[in-house]
Amino acid sequence: MLVLPAELTHAQATACCRMLAQALRSEPGREAVADASALRDFDSSALAVLLECRREALALGKQFAVSHMHPRLRALATLYGVAELLPETAATPVAG
């Protein structure tokens, strides 16, 4: 699983892309899932990072999905017309 940081704005985008691409290349399996549950402070750069992860995953022959996408990020993806490129995984219910 690829884990997004709590803050992902233009200032962190390049470093985050590098980190996630490295993790993606070392992760076994045919599916790559980006966990966005920690993401709280972000701008449209977060979409660029996710789209780059998707591109990298597809180049490696992997499927790509996002888990726990913040509703505001989903709204941005819809606004920019890229929501269908960032499918969400089924959320796992949290106990308690």
Side-chain angles (χ1 to χ4, degrees):
M1 176 133 347
L2 309 168
V3 180
L4 273 64
E7 182 177 355
L8 183 47
T9 61
H10 180 72
Q12 297 87 19
T14 301
C16 187
C17 259
R18 277 195 301 264
M19 175 194 69
L20 292 173
Q22 183 178 359
L24 186 58
R25 287 189 293 270
S26 65
E27 191 157 307
R30 306 272 308 147
E31 185 176 89
V33 177
D35 179 2
S37 61
L39 194 58
R40 292 291 170 254
D41 183 19
F42 57 88
D43 60 18
S44 60
S45 298
L47 287 178
V49 168
L50 287 171
L51 290 169
E52 178 60 20
C53 282
R54 177 186 182 273
R55 186 198 64 74
E56 183 77 23
L58 294 177
L60 293 168
K62 299 180 182 200
Q63 293 184 15
F64 182 76
V66 181
S67 68
H68 306 101
M69 187 179 283
H70 193 284
R72 207 173 86 235
L73 187 58
R74 174 59 55 198
L76 269 179
T78 300
L79 177 68
Y80 287 116
V82 298
E84 68 279 356
L85 299 176
L86 301 171
E88 290 187 78
T89 61
T92 305
V94 177

